[in-house]
């Protein structure tokens, strides 16, 4: 289950955008072998709101493009598909039968700016940001160079399969 909450009014959120991102999230989770019912929240904000959230949660008083808030805690360098069978997720991680993976907070305003800066479509940019965030929800990180190489590779593999390559 994917919950969408539009908390901004600078970029139009239409059914096409919601469909693209829902498809992207579902596909990325499928590619990462998430075979259980899940919940992901996707929250759209503007630059000012994401700056505030970034400052409150990471103590970085700066706008960013996307923030990920995973509900699950993974051992270092492990991702969901590698540890799922080892985990005994208790009720705090479940909403009924669904595993709560976490929240994605996306600045559509920043995504539009970046799509222009990188000279590709808005849809490609938001899809990339959502894939990036999904991978964070599943335990990927990019703080260390070896982790970054793995994560960037997975991002591009998933986007390529979705035909959302850099245009």
């Amino acid at each position: 289950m994917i919950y969408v909450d539009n908390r901004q009014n600078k970029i139009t959120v239409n059914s096409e955008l919601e469909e693209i991102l829902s498809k992207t999230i579902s596909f990325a989770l499928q590619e990462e072998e998430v075979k259980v019912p899940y919940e992901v929240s996707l929250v759209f904000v503007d630059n000012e709101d994401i700056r505030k959230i970034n400052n409150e949660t990471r103590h970085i008083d700066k706008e960013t493009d996307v923030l990920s808030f995973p509900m699950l805690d993974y051992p270092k360098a492990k991702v969901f598909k590698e540890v799922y069978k080892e985990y005994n997720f208790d009720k705090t991680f479940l909403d009924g039968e669904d595993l709560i993976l976490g929240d994605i907070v996306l600045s559509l305003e920043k995504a539009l700016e970046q799509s222009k800066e990188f000279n590709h479509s808005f849809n490609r940019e938001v899809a990339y940001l959502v894939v990036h965030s999904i991978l964070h929800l599943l335990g990927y990180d990019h703080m260390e160079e070896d982790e970054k190489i793995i994560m960037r590779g997975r991002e591009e593999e998933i986007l390529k399969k979705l035909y959302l390559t850099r245009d």
Side-chain angles (χ1 to χ4, degrees):
M1 175 81 52
I2 300 165
Y3 296 98
V4 178
D5 183 5
N6 182 19
R7 298 181 185 176
Q8 58 83 52
N9 60 11
K10 295 184 178 178
I11 307 294
T12 301
V13 176
N14 56 29
S15 59
E16 178 187 0
L17 179 63
E18 286 189 31
E19 179 65 27
I20 288 167
L21 295 181
S22 290
K23 178 182 171 186
T24 300
I25 290 169
S26 296
F27 186 79
L29 291 170
Q30 177 186 330
E31 285 294 300
E32 286 298 305
E33 301 176 25
V34 176
K35 297 175 183 174
V36 296
Y38 58 83
E39 284 186 17
V40 173
S41 294
L42 178 59
V43 181
F44 300 131
V45 296
D46 60 24
N47 285 346
E48 183 58 26
D49 285 340
I50 207 161
R51 183 194 64 75
K52 289 176 186 173
I53 296 167
N54 201 21
N55 192 30
E56 290 169 6
T57 59
R58 299 174 62 220
H59 308 291
I60 300 173
D61 191 13
K62 179 179 166 186
E63 64 192 37
T64 189
D65 47 16
V66 68
L67 293 169
S68 309
F69 298 97
M71 285 296 295
L72 307 177
D73 197 16
Y74 301 93
K76 182 157 177 56
K78 294 280 188 176
V79 297
F80 182 86
K81 63 185 176 182
E82 295 171 339
V83 299
Y84 179 72
K85 291 178 184 172
E86 299 171 23
Y87 266 77
N88 181 13
F89 295 111
D90 64 32
K91 292 179 184 177
T92 60
F93 298 108
L94 300 174
D95 182 9
E97 297 295 314
D98 294 350
L99 183 62
I100 303 170
L101 294 176
D103 302 325
I104 298 169
V105 179
L106 174 62
S107 172
L108 294 179
E109 185 179 9
K110 189 69 167 176
L112 181 60
E113 292 169 10
Q114 290 178 174
S115 71
K116 293 174 182 176
E117 176 185 342
F118 300 135
N119 198 30
H120 55 238
S121 72
F122 175 71
N123 288 347
R124 196 274 180 200
E125 183 64 18
V126 293
Y128 164 75
L129 294 172
V130 164
V131 168
H132 178 86
S133 199
I134 284 293
L135 292 177
H136 275 309
L137 295 184
L138 298 178
Y140 286 83
D141 207 350
H142 49 80
M143 298 303 289
E144 304 293 330
E145 189 60 30
D146 59 333
E147 296 173 336
K148 184 177 181 178
I149 291 168
I150 293 167
M151 187 169 179
R152 295 290 185 253
R154 286 303 293 146
E155 290 166 352
E156 290 303 322
E157 287 171 22
I158 292 167
L159 290 168
K160 184 176 180 181
K161 288 180 180 180
L162 283 167
Y163 304 103
L164 290 168
T165 56
R166 298 176 197 262
D167 17 89

